[in-house]
């Protein structure tokens, strides 16, 4: 069963006098439980594709399906519901809400969903321990390192066990040890919970963990390889 | 409901993210609220005092007269019922106080000067509780009863007439046949009033003495009634109307003195305008604070939208933030107003400007009146207009596209 299906996606941005084709008649299908790396040079279209899959950006044409729902024609409210229920996001930076503690950040999505306080607390403590942040629950983002912040963001993305996790350069601000730990965590979740991961990255180290590498150039897929992960 | 708590916590935390800005804005709201309530209390106190003083001169909350008396207040237009009949009808009617009286224009003459006055023939015991004259503070003495043969003048009038207690004056008016009705009276007392013009305008004699002088038997020109509250005279009007027929006219105090009646209505309008004007000044600061608060966290708003928060929730979060700011500011302002008005309720001496105030019928003491209705009005206006003022920045925040907001530098 497809977790994600993109059919003939086009997206053009205007930059000054130039039209930039971020997605150029791109089609791709990702099965449930896959661990996919989107790779391209800067401006290759991987973030645009990730945003289109997450319903953050609407393509100019084409179709985006998440499981059996077509999302490119949904309203903002429907897209918000979809993201809340099915998708976990990890962004490159500005990942956390600065006025909330680590634990509150992790609880945020559950709180919006209406999960009872006791359950939220239990889950958030457990997931923070899982990502190695036990004891830092009451720290605010400004009191944590970049790596710790990124791990909080990962914890928030996976705490509700979404079917799909979209990560945009999740290791960009991390040292190699923290990057490896993060990728191990992703791999574990992928294997144990069958969570589908789509990760946009430049990072060669991340590619080693992926079971499928999708290379993009100028908004098109130029290579799509299945491999044995590390 | 759970979203309300989520948004409230976020709003509260964001409010205190920039302490200095929030404290400055809270101070502005608190001072504005204090100014609204304090000025309103002073103005209401002044107007209430003017109305109460005015009603004590009228006097009473409701009066009955001959239908032509208010147009032509002469002895010819007397109440159709005799004093005996009036007593039978009103004695046990449950009024706070009531009195029948003779009120006619007259001239008072001393050996040196003459002045036009309003001559009041009264039963002093019946009017003691609502008269504008403090009987115990009268220089000399006040009237002993309805048969008293003396006259009590205002101190200012006595000055003008160059007379004093113990001297004689002549009161002259007309009887119902338009014949001169006059009599010599010994000045037995001089009264003082808050307003000088009142001291110049009235002369008090016993009611029966006045009836004898004017040759009107036991008839009167007006009957006055006092109820529980001058703001709500309708129950009193209904009670009086139920005891008289069409031969007399029942008038509320607002109809007897239309200037005072208009002032009371105008007061509420003035309060509303005053509160709105102050809020408009505040609203610039409020909108600026909210715009800045939204502007500096566009990326975070984008993040929340990306994580699945609906645009309506972002809108709600900014509005709740604004409402919290206003509520805290209002609370501080309310407490500040209460703390500054309460100690002044004993009265503020404004005698320095009292001469000017007399033009408006106000006395030289100002008693601030902290009315709960005015406090509610000020708070409601600020909350409602604050809500409207916060809509624009909140709406803008909720319209951000998550992907654009997240990448905003």
């Amino acid at each position: 069963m497809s977790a994600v299906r993109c059919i003939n996606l086009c997206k053009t941005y205007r930059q000054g006098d130039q039209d930039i084709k971020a997605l150029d008649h791109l089609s791709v299908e990702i099965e449930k439980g896959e661990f996919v790396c989107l790779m391209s040079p800067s401006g290759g279209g991987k973030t645009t594709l990730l945003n289109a899959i997450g319903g953050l950006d609407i393509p100019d044409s084409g179709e985006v399906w998440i499981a059996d729902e077509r999302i490119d024609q949904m309203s903002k409210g429907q897209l918000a519901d979809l993201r809340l229920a099915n998708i976990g996001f990890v962004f490159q930076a500005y990942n956390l809400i600065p006025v909330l503690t680590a634990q509150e950040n992790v609880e945020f999505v559950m709180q919006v969903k209406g999960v009872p306080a006791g359950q939220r607390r239990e889950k958030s403590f457990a997931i923070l321990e899982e990502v190695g942040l036990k004891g830092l629950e009451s720290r605010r983002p400004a009191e944590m390192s970049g790596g710790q912040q990124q791990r909080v963001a990962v914890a928030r993305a996976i705490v509700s066990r979404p079917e799909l996790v979209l990560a945009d350069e999740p290791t960009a601000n991390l040292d190699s040890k923290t990057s490896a730990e993060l990728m191990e965590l992703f791999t574990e979740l992928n294997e144990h919970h069958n969570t589908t991961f789509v990760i946009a990255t430049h990072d060669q180290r991340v590619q080693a963990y992926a079971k499928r590498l999708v290379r993009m150039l100028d908004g098109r897929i130029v290579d799509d390889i299945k491999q044995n992960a590390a | 409901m759970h979203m309300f708590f989520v948004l409230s916590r976020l709003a509260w935390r964001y409010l205190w993210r920039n302490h200095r800005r929030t404290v400055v804005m809270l101070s502005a709201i608190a001072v504005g609220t204090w100014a609204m309530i304090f000025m309103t209390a002073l103005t209401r106190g002044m107007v209430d005092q003017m109305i109460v003083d005015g009603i004590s001169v009228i006097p009473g909350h409701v009066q009955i007269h001959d239908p032509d008396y208010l147009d032509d207040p002469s002895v010819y237009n007397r109440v159709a019922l005799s004093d005996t009949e009036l007593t039978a009808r009103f004695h046990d009617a449950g009024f706070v106080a009531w009195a029948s009286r003779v009120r006619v224009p007259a001239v008072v003459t001393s050996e040196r000067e003459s002045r036009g006055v309003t001559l009041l023939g009264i039963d002093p015991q019946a009017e003691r509780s609502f008269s504008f004259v403090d009987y115990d503070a009268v220089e000399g003495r006040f009237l002993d009863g309805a048969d008293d043969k003396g006259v009590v003048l205002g101190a200012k009038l006595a000055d003008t007439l160059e007379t004093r207690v113990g001297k004689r004056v002549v009161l002259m008016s007309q009887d119902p046949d338009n014949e001169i009705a006059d009599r010599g009276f010994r000045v037995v007392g001089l009264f003082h009033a808050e307003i000088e013009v009142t001291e110049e305008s009235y002369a008090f004699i016993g009611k029966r003495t006045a009836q004898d002088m004017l040759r009107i038997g036991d008839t009167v020109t007006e009957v006055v009634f006092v109820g529980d509250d001058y703001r709500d005279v309708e129950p009193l009007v209904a009670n009086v109307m139920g005891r008289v027929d069409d031969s007399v006219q029942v008038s509320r105090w607002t109809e007897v003195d239309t200037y005072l009646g208009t002032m009371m209505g105008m007061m509420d309008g003035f309060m509303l305008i005053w509160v709105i004007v102050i809020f408009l000044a505040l609203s610039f600061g409020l909108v600026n604070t909210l715009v800045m608060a939204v502007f500096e966290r566009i990326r975070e708003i984008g993040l929340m939208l990306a994580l699945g928060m609906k645009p309506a929730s972002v809108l709600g979060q900014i509005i709740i933030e604004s409402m919290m700011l206003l509520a805290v500011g209002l609370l501080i302002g309310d407490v500040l107003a209460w703390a500054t008005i309460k100690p002044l309720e004993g009265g503020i001496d404004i005698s320095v400007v009292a001469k000017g105030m007399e033009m408006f019928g106000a006395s030289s003491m100002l008693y601030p009146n902290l009315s709960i209705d005015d406090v509610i009005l000020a708070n409601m206006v600020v909350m409602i207009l604050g809500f409207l003022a916060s809509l624009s920045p909140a709406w803008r925040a909720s319209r951000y596209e998550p992907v654009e907001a997240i990448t905003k530098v």
Side-chain angles (χ1 to χ4, degrees):
Chain A
M1 183 190 172
S2 294
V4 177
R5 199 149 48 101
C6 299
I7 304 169
N8 213 20
L9 291 188
C10 290
K11 180 78 182 180
T12 305
Y13 293 112
R14 187 145 191 93
Q15 202 169 56
D17 295 337
Q18 275 192 318
D19 284 337
I20 311 260
K21 280 190 174 174
L23 297 176
D24 186 6
H25 299 282
L26 181 146
S27 296
V28 68
E29 189 165 351
I30 297 167
E31 296 299 320
K32 184 164 172 49
E34 275 198 293
F35 197 117
V36 180
C37 246
L38 300 176
M39 307 196 57
S40 76
S42 288
K46 56 185 183 301
T47 297
T48 306
L49 177 58
L50 215 58
N51 289 338
I53 294 170
L56 296 177
D57 206 356
I58 305 298
D60 298 334
S61 63
E63 297 174 17
V64 181
W65 294 75
I66 299 293
D68 54 358
E69 284 189 284
R70 184 172 177 184
I71 69 164
D72 54 281
Q73 292 174 332
M74 284 182 173
S75 68
K76 282 185 176 183
Q78 287 172 315
L79 285 171
D81 284 338
L82 174 92
R83 289 194 292 266
L84 191 65
N86 301 320
I87 304 174
F89 282 97
V90 182
F91 300 103
Q92 181 178 343
Y94 310 116
N95 243 326
L96 301 179
I97 299 165
V99 294
L100 300 180
T101 64
Q103 188 221 336
E104 288 166 346
N105 263 288
V106 173
E107 281 192 15
F108 180 76
V109 172
M110 290 190 285
Q111 216 173 1
V112 175
K113 277 183 175 176
V115 176
Q119 251 182 64
R120 284 199 317 258
R121 193 174 164 78
E122 196 181 313
K123 283 186 175 179
S124 60
F125 271 89
I127 200 79
L128 281 169
E129 187 175 356
E130 203 175 327
V131 298
L133 294 175
K134 190 179 179 188
L136 302 183
E137 294 88 353
S138 55
R139 289 206 185 167
R140 292 207 177 175
E143 299 163 340
M144 292 189 284
S145 68
Q148 288 169 333
Q149 289 184 39
Q150 198 66 320
R151 277 188 278 171
V152 175
V154 171
R156 184 189 56 207
I158 61 181
V159 71
S160 304
R161 302 283 179 234
E163 290 168 12
L164 175 63
V165 173
L166 303 175
D168 189 6
E169 304 279 10
T171 58
N173 296 320
L174 304 183
D175 58 43
S176 54
K177 183 171 175 285
T178 315
S179 294
E181 285 171 3
L182 185 66
M183 292 315 296
E184 294 288 351
L185 180 67
F186 281 179
T187 308
E188 194 185 319
L189 285 165
N190 174 245
E191 287 171 359
H192 291 127
H193 301 287
N194 203 30
T195 307
T196 310
F197 278 82
V198 182
I199 301 173
T201 185
H202 285 107
D203 193 338
Q204 297 291 331
R205 295 166 301 181
V206 173
Q207 296 169 29
Y209 291 88
K211 294 173 188 164
R212 181 177 169 191
L213 288 178
V214 176
R215 291 183 198 282
M216 296 176 65
L217 187 65
D218 298 331
R220 281 176 295 179
I221 293 174
V222 292
D223 209 359
D224 191 344
I225 313 161
K226 297 214 171 173
Q227 65 174 20
N228 290 323
Chain B
M1 197 59 187
H2 77 276
M3 268 317 281
F4 179 75
F5 290 113
V6 176
L7 300 179
S8 298
R9 182 169 68 176
L10 277 171
W12 183 252
R13 296 270 180 92
Y14 271 115
L15 205 55
W16 294 106
R17 186 188 197 181
N18 190 330
H19 288 81
R20 191 175 300 171
R21 189 174 59 207
T22 300
V23 167
V24 167
M25 195 57 217
L26 278 178
S27 306
I29 295 168
V31 170
T33 306
W34 171 82
M36 285 176 201
I37 298 173
F38 190 80
M39 277 302 293
T40 305
L42 286 186
T43 313
R44 186 167 294 283
M46 187 178 77
V47 172
D48 278 0
Q49 195 62 38
M50 286 160 72
I51 291 172
V52 168
D53 288 348
I55 289 174
S56 71
V57 173
I58 287 175
H61 303 160
V62 171
Q63 294 188 347
I64 60 173
H65 304 100
D66 177 85
D68 294 325
Y69 179 82
L70 289 179
D71 291 332
D72 176 17
S74 71
V75 72
Y76 187 77
N77 296 317
R78 300 188 304 285
V79 176
L81 303 166
S82 71
D83 227 0
T84 314
E85 285 173 305
L86 290 171
T87 303
R89 289 180 188 220
F90 300 131
H91 181 63
D92 292 322
F95 303 121
V96 172
W98 75 279
S100 62
R101 54 205 329 245
V102 176
R103 181 190 184 109
V104 289
V107 173
V108 57
T109 306
S110 69
E111 65 269 42
R112 294 179 185 276
E113 293 285 346
S114 294
R115 281 289 180 275
V117 292
T118 298
L119 177 62
L120 298 169
I122 64 164
D123 176 353
Q125 298 316 317
E127 300 198 7
R128 176 179 268 274
S129 63
F130 59 84
S131 173
F132 67 87
V133 176
D134 179 356
Y135 293 0
D136 298 328
V138 167
E139 198 180 318
R141 67 169 177 83
F142 200 67
L143 303 173
D144 284 335
D147 294 315
D148 198 311
K149 304 294 184 209
V151 63
V152 176
L153 304 175
K156 177 69 180 170
L157 179 62
D159 268 357
T160 308
L161 295 173
E162 296 183 47
T163 188
R164 62 179 185 273
V165 174
K167 297 192 82 171
R168 288 185 71 86
V169 292
V170 174
L171 283 166
M172 185 169 66
S173 187
Q174 286 188 8
D175 70 7
D177 299 322
N178 296 326
E179 297 297 331
I180 295 295
D182 58 357
R183 182 179 285 188
F185 289 83
R186 189 167 304 281
V187 178
V188 295
L190 301 178
F191 70 83
H192 296 272
E194 291 280 358
I195 299 164
E196 221 171 54
V197 71
T198 307
E199 286 184 15
E200 286 180 313
S201 306
Y202 296 98
F204 289 93
I205 61 174
K207 182 170 69 178
R208 275 194 285 277
T209 307
Q211 287 168 333
D212 288 345
M213 180 185 120
L214 298 169
R215 296 182 280 277
I216 55 174
D218 72 342
T219 59
V220 293
T221 58
E222 70 184 13
V223 186
V224 301
F225 304 90
V226 178
D228 294 316
D229 183 3
Y230 71 82
R231 293 179 189 83
D232 181 21
V233 296
E234 291 315 310
L236 183 61
V237 170
N239 192 354
V240 173
M241 279 182 146
R243 293 167 194 281
V244 294
D245 54 28
D246 291 345
S247 64
V248 294
Q249 180 183 357
V250 179
S251 309
R252 296 156 185 83
W253 65 267
T254 49
E255 293 160 334
V256 176
D257 189 334
T258 50
Y259 171 70
L260 280 180
T262 307
M263 199 186 305
M264 193 168 82
M266 195 179 71
M267 182 64 201
D268 292 335
F270 170 78
M271 299 294 180
L272 187 62
I273 291 169
W274 170 245
V275 168
I276 289 174
V277 166
I278 292 203
F279 179 80
L280 286 178
L282 273 182
S283 66
F284 291 103
L286 177 69
V287 170
N288 182 53
T289 299
L290 291 175
V291 167
M292 286 307 296
V294 167
F295 184 72
E296 71 187 13
R297 62 172 195 259
I298 292 175
R299 282 191 299 247
E300 290 144 45
I301 289 169
L303 175 66
M304 289 180 208
L305 290 167
L307 292 176
M309 188 181 257
K310 289 187 177 173
S313 297
V314 173
L315 181 95
Q317 186 193 325
I318 306 296
I319 289 174
I320 289 173
E321 201 171 318
S322 162
M323 294 293 102
M324 282 177 167
L325 187 67
L326 290 169
V328 175
L330 281 171
L331 184 67
I332 298 170
D334 289 345
V335 171
L336 204 61
W338 181 83
T340 49
I341 291 169
K342 276 289 162 188
L344 298 174
E345 278 188 344
I348 307 167
D349 186 357
I350 52 165
S351 50
V352 177
V353 290
K355 286 280 178 198
M357 299 296 279
E358 268 195 18
M359 284 175 60
F360 304 101
S363 70
S364 59
M365 286 296 282
L366 187 53
Y367 300 93
N369 180 357
L370 182 61
S371 151
I372 190 68
D373 288 347
D374 292 337
V375 175
I376 291 171
L377 173 77
N379 282 257
M380 291 299 290
V381 166
V382 170
M383 288 303 273
I384 291 169
L385 294 184
F387 170 78
L388 295 176
S390 62
L391 279 179
S392 166
W395 177 256
R396 280 176 59 186
S398 71
R399 293 294 93 191
Y400 286 128
E401 291 297 333
V403 72
E404 287 171 15
I406 287 172
T407 53
K408 203 98 175 174
V409 179

